[in-house]
Amino acid sequence: MKSTTCNATNNAILACLQNDPPDWDFLDALLSELMILPTLSDQALVFCRDLCAHLKAANDRLLASVTPQHAHRLLKVFTSVANIQQKVDGNTSSTLRHYVDVVEAGIHLSPPLSSGNMLSFRDIILASWFASFTFSTLPPSPEPNNILDAIQDRASTNHLPRFEATSLALVHAVHDAGDGFINAMLDPITGTLPNVVLFPDQAQMLSAVVFASPHTTSDIWAPLHSGQSTYEVKTATSSALLTLARRIQEGAPIADLGLDIPHCSNNALVLLLHYLALSLFPSASAFNDTGVVLCSLSGNAATNIPRVASGRDVARLYYEKGLQIDPTHPHLLSNFGSLLKDAGHTTYAIGIFNYTLQLHPELDIALVNMANTLKDLGRSADAVPYYLKAVAINPGLVDAYCGLSMSMNAICNWTARDHWLTGVITTCEEHLSELHHQNVGILAEKSVDDWLLTVALATARPQCDHSLRKWVHRFCLFADVSNGRQPLINEGSFLVRLIDWYRTRMQHRRYIETYGETFYCEEVLNSGPEAAPVARPFGLVLSSVSLQRVPTVLPFHTFTLPLSGRTIRRIAHRNALRASHTTMSRISPDQVPPPPPPPFKRRINVGYVSSDFSDHPLSHLMKSVFRLHNRNRFCVFLYATSPSDGSVFRLYFERGDVNFLDVSSWSDVDIVNRIEEDHIHILVDLGGYTKGARNEIFAARPSPVQVSLMGYAGTLAASWCDYLVCDSITCSVDLFARVQAYRKRSLNHCCRNSDFGVSVGEEGDPESSCPDWIYTECPIYMPHTYFVTDHKQSYRHGEDLSVYERAQTPAKKLWTDEVKRRTDLRRALFPDLPLDVIIFANFNQLYKIDPDIFATWLHILARVPRSILWLLRFPSAGEAHLIQTAKGWAGDEIASRIRFTDVTAKDHHIYRCRVPDLFLDTSECSAHTVAADVLWSGTPLIACAWPSHRHKMSSRVAASVATATGFGEYMVVSSREEYEERAVALGNSMRYTVQPNGDVEASGDLINLRRCLFLNRDTMPLFDTERWTRNLEKAYRIVWRRWVDGSTFKMCDDGCIWVKDEVDVPIRMD
């Protein structure tokens, strides 16, 4: 806008404001013109500032004469000013204050609150908090006496709450009570104002209670209930409250609202603003928005609701209430369907989505929600059209890209694969980068000296000069909130990792102070450590931290995506931060987990947490491990976080002789308390980032030592996971942060005994720019393979020989019988196939197949003319796409040699794994359980250990498994070229001789390798479950000793634990 125009506009505003009341129509028109301009200059802000100065004094009193009937006009002006400022400079403190002006003006103009003390936005919020808290405790609890006492001390008698008469002057009472009221309201666990969950009917009463007159039983809006102006005032005030809530969710600091409530957490305030907005104007949209906020409160995030209810349970009530107001509301319907889907009611969810899309066929989020539901049901082919339509309607809908890419990959539909894949990866990188701008300045709320005192409290010893300088440098990085800060520093990440560092060190300190450096005890020690005085270095700071959004690409998705090690590490870390943040909203971050007493009579308590104690591959593999533990040295606890599926596997665990506990219906806090009561020394995570895992349990740190094992083949990038059980093939030693940091750090005596601290921008910081490492855990290197199996105990059908009986049977008979079994089964499966045709196979789910490895398979088929490729309809929709691709890439003849069969039951699957001549592994994500299945049957495989994938543990599992047979040199390859050449050479090595009796006898390198695998399976390390368990127990004893003596916290070594196995592996060649 030009200068002359500016002056004219200013003069017009001044002329308008000379009238009393002002010319509201003119102001509306002028502000509307400004709002629709494509660009706005800083001069527009000057206009807005001058306008507000003419309407409101510095002490918040209104200068213009505004009657209650015209209150909505003033609120509309303030709202327009806030929207203009938002358009110009975003979430600044002055922008947020304009929305606060809307709320305060609505209250100041409403009798009887317009007289007497000037009530502030802070008063409104605190009064709402108290009313919400009191609602949530009635019945049967009485009003909290300590809070009433705090109000009584300062408030006038006629301002005291009288709930029984529904007559309150709550805003006045809170205004008079001052800070004593806030202190009385603090949650004793978290040290912050409570996070309260209200039911819809309670929330709707909130404004009537908060704004009730001290002299009447009606609320302040009662005289004007029938007027249009009051309706508009309520609407504007409600809208302003919701806008403030959204700005806080987007990262705006609470301090920018001018609240001055030091104990206020972002989540609790956002929820309260929604309640208040809904109570003023109970629209369908308000119920929807409140439900969305409640859904984000995973588990029992509030202590006032029954354990049988969760944030999602209450959210459902809000969605249902909103649908009573507007049964066609698009977002209510879509969100309600998503809630049903997440609760496992997929049939009902699909019905809701179908109804929603009938009413709103172009609703992009409903299309995505429908697609996600179908994808999770394994109906990826059905999901794709919904994703495609959503992207066509809204190309910027990033949530659709990942689901579309995963669904198309699941059925091997590689149409425009590079486009969708690039979109997913680009979006993921953008999400990871933009989150560095959140939570800036939270550590600056305390001085560097204060933070150093917290460090000294945790370490209980003076820091050496080198270590002290490192700590000072770290905190100084966050003390500077200027624009010159390094762009790749994630302050929220550092704070969460610092909290976990503090809690683990304090836990260890308390153990040493109570029991000394005692590894084991010979008598029961009943007296636990005395509770130390509660220090609160983190509670107030953490309450200012906003929850960082996780990328659309989940950690499990990284198994099949071509991502760098740094990106994989950061994706995992963001999910770890979410688990930590969720946990810290339920327990105080300053609460030190109690250490268990020393193991009684050298028996270490080991707890295994899993949602897969059921008919699941994890149980198939680990079934015998728990009973094979040495009971004289280990006491085993199993915590099942999923309900029984009624399978024989679940019954096996439930009726076994270990301590099995179904905690599927328990809250995370209750599970944590039980683990602490069981005095668990080592807690093992069998889920990682797989479906159904409850990492919030581990984020609470209920055990001194926490280990990731089997369930997730990758880093958790979590400060609450200490060790990763792996082997030298799956995880190269130089990819561990602790190893790299140890190699780089000065090895003088002072530094060797210093705590390694919490890194920033270097090894150990998951957010660092360094691409050379991926694992934040310390490695436990198993001697043969980290991968345990149970085939030796569970899958002996076919031969029907015990281990002893098989060892006594001549090798020739074993082999002859096996050849006959295999030949008969092959003929049954492929009756048209001559015996001299080589069968290549892959039994993985089809999502693991990528275009590059499929092209390699086609090359192999071309170079081994008498061969077929056997794949599974896993899912069935993938068959047509793969056949079509094969025809396009290799021609009809080769495509005709690809055979598909249906998926079969586990026992029959393992039995028929003997039929293929050679199993061809996938490269991006290798075979895991399937690799063990085919090797147990005697079928050789080609496994990938490519340098380009060395940072992906999931891509190297088959190579590890193959090596543990003792014949890995014949099966593990290091490049795509070697992969193809090895498969072709083995396939073409086969020779067939017709015997006098008409049988066909095979010979060659491939059949010789099969014979070795088959004859030695009972003795090879891969299938020696008891041996694997003993080696794991060695690791458990080592990690416990390292925790007690403190070496796990010091830079005295590289943190690696190498488990030794001196037992020779006999090879049977006779």
Side-chain angles (χ1 to χ4, degrees):
M1 300 176 70
K2 296 182 179 179
S3 177
T4 54
T5 306
C6 297
N7 293 332
T9 304
N10 262 332
N11 292 333
I13 292 176
L14 289 172
C16 165
L17 294 173
Q18 297 304 314
N19 301 323
D20 197 6
D23 187 340
W24 299 113
D25 292 334
F26 173 80
L27 289 178
D28 286 346
L30 179 62
L31 293 172
S32 297
E33 286 186 18
L34 286 175
M35 195 62 199
I36 63 176
L37 290 174
T39 58
L40 289 171
S41 67
D42 291 340
Q43 291 173 324
L45 299 182
V46 175
F47 300 149
C48 293
R49 191 160 48 246
D50 290 344
L51 174 59
C52 291
H54 284 95
L55 293 174
K56 193 179 70 166
N59 63 359
D60 288 337
R61 289 191 177 276
L62 295 176
L63 297 177
S65 297
V66 184
T67 64
Q69 287 74 17
H70 291 116
H72 67 285
R73 307 299 299 269
L74 177 66
L75 267 61
K76 187 174 181 180
V77 169
F78 282 143
T79 301
S80 297
V81 168
N83 291 337
I84 290 171
Q85 179 133 6
Q86 173 72 25
K87 185 175 179 180
V88 175
D89 59 4
N91 266 357
T92 63
S93 58
S94 56
T95 301
L96 298 177
R97 281 299 305 171
H98 286 312
Y99 289 114
V100 171
D101 288 341
V102 176
V103 179
E104 291 184 338
I107 303 305
H108 293 165
L109 292 171
S110 302
L113 298 183
S114 55
S115 60
N117 292 328
M118 285 297 295
L119 300 174
S120 67
F121 184 60
R122 180 179 186 268
D123 298 327
I124 297 166
I125 293 302
L126 290 176
S128 301
W129 224 309
F130 173 66
S132 299
F133 185 73
T134 310
F135 281 152
S136 69
T137 58
L138 290 173
S141 302
E143 298 166 9
N145 291 330
N146 61 322
I147 303 175
L148 292 179
D149 290 343
I151 296 179
Q152 176 72 62
D153 288 343
R154 298 289 300 277
S156 303
T157 304
N158 65 328
H159 287 163
L160 283 178
R162 296 192 302 278
F163 272 80
E164 69 280 1
T166 64
S167 176
L168 300 170
L170 206 49
V171 182
H172 287 291
V174 169
H175 178 87
D176 294 343
D179 290 342
F181 166 77
I182 298 179
N183 294 330
M185 280 285 293
L186 294 182
D187 188 314
I189 296 177
T190 64
T192 61
L193 290 170
N195 200 2
V196 181
V197 172
L198 297 181
F199 294 106
D201 291 342
Q202 295 172 325
Q204 285 185 266
M205 294 171 57
L206 190 58
S207 64
V209 170
V210 170
F211 302 130
S213 164
H215 308 296
T216 69
T217 59
S218 61
D219 68 70
I220 63 173
W221 313 99
L224 304 171
H225 264 305
S226 60
Q228 178 66 19
S229 60
T230 298
Y231 173 84
E232 294 183 4
V233 167
K234 284 189 171 187
T235 304
T237 307
S238 176
S239 177
L241 290 165
L242 292 175
T243 300
L244 288 170
R246 283 194 295 272
R247 298 296 178 263
I248 296 170
Q249 288 174 302
E250 292 167 358
I254 292 177
D256 286 354
L257 304 182
L259 280 178
D260 187 27
I261 305 177
H263 306 274
C264 177
S265 72
N266 288 13
N267 290 341
L269 180 58
V270 166
L271 189 56
L272 190 69
L273 290 171
H274 278 85
Y275 290 149
L276 195 52
L278 184 150
S279 67
L280 288 171
F281 186 64
S283 65
S285 294
F287 279 104
N288 175 69
D289 294 345
T290 308
V292 170
V293 175
L294 285 164
C295 278
S296 69
L297 303 178
S298 58
N300 290 336
T303 56
N304 65 290
I305 58 177
R307 288 181 181 177
V308 295
S310 67
R312 288 183 174 274
D313 295 327
V314 182
R316 177 171 181 168
L317 301 178
Y318 280 84
Y319 291 149
E320 291 173 341
K321 193 81 170 180
L323 288 171
Q324 292 174 13
I325 298 173
D326 182 0
T328 67
H329 192 283
H331 295 289
L332 266 172
L333 288 168
S334 184
N335 291 330
F336 185 41
S338 292
L339 185 146
L340 292 174
K341 173 236 178 187
D342 293 340
H345 306 303
T346 52
T347 302
Y348 294 110
I350 290 175
I352 291 290
F353 293 138
N354 277 326
Y355 175 68
T356 305
L357 292 172
Q358 288 174 11
L359 296 172
H360 312 281
E362 304 295 304
L363 184 61
D364 52 4
I365 192 63
L367 290 164
V368 171
N369 286 338
M370 171 66 101
N372 288 338
T373 304
L374 294 171
K375 175 175 66 70
D376 291 349
L377 287 173
R379 296 168 55 186
S380 296
D382 295 331
V384 168
Y386 290 97
Y387 283 127
L388 288 172
K389 185 175 180 180
V391 171
I393 293 170
N394 183 0
L397 188 61
V398 296
D399 290 344
Y401 281 85
C402 185
L404 175 60
S405 179
M406 294 298 109
S407 294
M408 295 184 76
N409 200 52
I411 58 176
C412 298
N413 181 349
W414 298 325
T415 305
R417 181 177 188 268
D418 290 344
H419 170 72
W420 301 122
L421 204 57
T422 301
V424 169
I425 295 173
T426 301
T427 300
C428 177
E429 294 287 358
E430 291 173 352
H431 284 174
L432 290 171
S433 298
E434 70 186 22
L435 294 178
H436 287 110
H437 304 296
Q438 285 188 332
N439 301 316
V440 174
I442 51 177
L443 281 144
E445 296 178 12
K446 296 176 64 174
S447 69
V448 172
D449 287 342
D450 286 338
W451 286 119
L452 292 176
L453 287 174
T454 300
V455 171
L457 176 65
T459 55
R461 64 162 65 96
Q463 299 289 302
C464 69
D465 291 342
H466 178 271
S467 180
L468 184 60
R469 286 195 300 271
K470 292 284 287 184
W471 279 112
V472 171
H473 171 71
R474 291 162 184 156
F475 290 121
C476 284
L477 285 173
F478 299 107
D480 177 17
V481 294
S482 66
N483 293 330
R485 172 183 286 188
Q486 298 178 36
L488 295 181
I489 291 180
N490 186 329
E491 190 164 347
S493 165
F494 176 79
L495 177 59
V496 169
R497 289 184 292 118
L498 179 65
I499 291 172
D500 198 69
W501 176 90
Y502 171 83
R503 297 177 77 236
T504 55
R505 272 54 174 186
M506 288 296 292
Q507 182 189 45
H508 181 258
R509 175 180 175 179
R510 193 171 294 179
Y511 180 93
I512 297 300
E513 290 174 349
T514 306
Y515 306 112
E517 197 170 302
T518 304
F519 299 107
Y520 307 101
C521 64
E522 295 302 320
E523 58 183 25
V524 177
L525 302 177
N526 292 320
S527 59
E530 295 182 4
V534 178
R536 295 189 181 276
F538 297 107
L540 303 184
V541 178
L542 187 68
S543 66
S544 302
V545 176
S546 59
L547 180 64
Q548 293 191 338
R549 184 177 58 175
V550 297
T552 53
V553 175
L554 299 178
F556 191 76
H557 296 155
T558 64
F559 287 10
T560 56
L561 293 175
L563 300 171
S564 68
R566 177 172 180 261
T567 299
I568 293 172
R569 181 183 77 213
R570 294 167 75 202
I571 291 172
H573 182 56
R574 295 299 168 84
N575 283 266
L577 290 179
R578 176 174 286 268
S580 295
H581 193 280
T582 301
T583 296
M584 295 306 161
S585 68
R586 303 171 191 168
I587 65 173
S588 170
D590 302 307
Q591 177 182 322
V592 178
F600 176 58
K601 293 189 179 297
R602 308 181 70 85
R603 292 185 76 202
I604 297 175
N605 295 331
V606 180
Y608 293 91
V609 179
S610 178
S611 63
D612 298 323
F613 292 126
S614 56
D615 187 2
H616 184 275
L618 183 82
S619 291
H620 304 165
L621 295 167
M622 295 195 69
K623 178 181 176 183
S624 299
V625 168
F626 312 113
R627 69 171 177 81
L628 288 173
H629 271 304
N630 184 342
R631 300 308 172 82
N632 294 323
R633 291 291 176 261
F634 296 91
C635 187
V636 178
F637 297 77
L638 305 184
Y639 302 98
T641 59
S642 61
S644 174
D645 62 348
S647 66
V648 293
F649 294 94
R650 181 58 170 247
L651 293 175
Y652 175 86
F653 295 127
E654 290 176 344
R655 297 172 181 176
D657 54 356
V658 297
N659 300 288
F660 181 89
L661 191 62
D662 183 342
V663 295
S664 58
S665 62
W666 297 21
S667 71
D668 293 337
V669 173
D670 287 338
I671 298 173
V672 167
N673 291 337
R674 177 56 186 261
I675 292 171
E676 291 175 349
E677 291 170 6
D678 289 338
H679 297 152
I680 300 299
H681 301 100
I682 300 172
L683 191 65
V684 184
D685 185 354
L686 298 178
Y689 293 124
T690 56
K691 184 178 181 180
R694 293 173 67 174
N695 290 311
E696 292 78 11
I697 297 168
F698 290 86
R701 275 284 180 180
S703 175
V705 181
Q706 300 190 163
V707 179
S708 175
L709 170 68
M710 281 295 291
Y712 183 80
T715 182
L716 301 185
S719 56
W720 36 261
C721 184
D722 305 306
Y723 293 95
L724 171 65
V725 178
C726 58
D727 55 63
S728 58
I729 293 177
T730 53
C731 301
S732 299
V733 70
D734 62 301
L735 294 179
F736 285 86
R738 172 75 176 262
V739 173
Q740 288 210 8
Y742 176 73
R743 291 176 178 177
K744 290 182 179 180
R745 183 167 291 199
S746 170
L747 297 181
N748 62 67
H749 180 74
C750 184
C751 287
R752 286 174 59 88
N753 289 299
S754 294
D755 193 294
F756 54 76
V758 184
S759 56
V760 182
E762 57 186 348
E763 291 80 9
D765 179 4
E767 299 284 351
S768 77
S769 59
C770 180
D772 299 330
W773 62 276
I774 184 169
Y775 301 104
T776 58
E777 304 88 349
C778 288
I780 294 176
Y781 279 115
M782 296 292 278
H784 306 289
T785 178
Y786 87 96
F787 201 80
V788 66
T789 68
D790 199 58
H791 296 71
K792 185 175 178 179
Q793 291 74 230
S794 300
Y795 301 106
R796 306 196 66 84
H797 53 285
E799 283 185 326
D800 295 325
L801 297 174
S802 67
V803 174
Y804 176 79
E805 290 170 340
R806 195 173 196 267
Q808 303 305 310
T809 304
K812 183 176 181 179
K813 176 172 174 49
L814 290 174
W815 179 244
T816 301
D817 292 345
E818 171 61 15
V819 169
K820 184 178 186 308
R821 272 191 301 270
R822 180 169 179 257
T823 302
D824 292 343
L825 185 55
R826 173 184 168 124
R827 284 173 174 156
L829 285 170
F830 303 105
D832 63 322
L833 203 64
L835 292 177
D836 63 344
V837 172
I838 302 298
I839 300 178
F840 297 110
N842 183 281
F843 298 145
N844 290 332
Q845 294 188 56
L846 298 183
Y847 76 84
K848 291 189 177 184
I849 302 175
D850 63 80
D852 290 339
I853 201 66
F854 189 64
T856 302
W857 293 350
L858 296 179
H859 294 163
I860 293 169
L861 288 177
R863 296 177 63 186
V864 184
R866 291 186 63 76
S867 65
I868 68 165
L869 174 62
W870 177 14
L871 301 175
L872 298 182
R873 299 185 183 101
F874 204 2
S876 59
E879 179 178 358
H881 291 294
L882 286 174
I883 295 297
Q884 182 180 5
T885 300
K887 288 179 179 180
W889 291 0
D892 291 348
E893 191 278 329
I894 288 180
S896 69
R897 291 196 269 131
I898 301 177
R899 303 285 190 95
F900 284 84
T901 62
D902 292 331
V903 179
T904 188
K906 178 70 176 181
D907 287 355
H908 188 250
H909 156 71
I910 293 178
Y911 186 71
R912 74 179 187 180
C913 278
R914 57 180 26 95
V915 171
D917 293 286
L918 183 63
F919 182 90
L920 301 177
D921 192 21
T922 44
S923 55
E924 200 68 52
C925 181
S926 73
H928 295 188
T929 306
V930 170
D933 294 340
V934 298
L935 289 170
W936 173 252
S937 73
T939 298
L941 57 81
I942 303 294
C944 308
W946 300 351
S948 59
H949 291 65
R950 64 192 299 268
H951 63 285
K952 296 185 71 171
M953 182 180 183
S954 60
S955 74
R956 304 170 72 86
V957 174
S960 167
V961 167
T963 302
T965 64
F967 301 97
E969 61 184 298
Y970 305 106
M971 295 185 283
V972 179
V973 296
S974 58
S975 69
R976 192 179 306 276
E977 295 73 23
E978 187 182 1
Y979 181 107
E980 182 177 328
E981 294 302 324
R982 182 72 59 86
V984 170
L986 287 173
N988 287 332
S989 74
M990 294 290 285
R991 298 291 181 267
Y992 298 91
T993 305
V994 179
Q995 300 298 310
N997 61 0
D999 291 341
V1000 177
E1001 182 176 326
S1003 61
D1005 293 342
L1006 186 55
I1007 202 69
N1008 291 338
L1009 180 56
R1010 170 182 290 277
R1011 186 174 187 275
C1012 290
L1013 290 171
F1014 177 75
L1015 292 178
N1016 290 281
R1017 68 183 189 182
D1018 273 345
T1019 57
M1020 60 180 56
L1022 174 60
F1023 299 113
D1024 193 340
T1025 316
E1026 184 172 6
R1027 179 184 195 168
W1028 185 93
T1029 305
R1030 294 291 166 266
N1031 286 328
L1032 183 66
E1033 291 174 344
K1034 294 176 188 177
Y1036 285 165
R1037 286 191 287 270
I1038 294 171
V1039 298
W1040 174 245
R1041 293 187 68 88
R1042 285 176 60 82
W1043 185 84
V1044 173
D1045 67 24
S1047 59
T1048 190
F1049 306 124
K1050 302 173 186 175
M1051 197 53 73
C1052 55
D1053 55 40
D1054 62 8
C1056 296
I1057 296 175
W1058 297 88
V1059 180
K1060 303 297 182 183
D1061 186 352
E1062 308 300 337
V1063 180
D1064 292 330
V1065 182
I1067 302 298
R1068 184 173 183 179
M1069 304 296 292
D1070 56 338

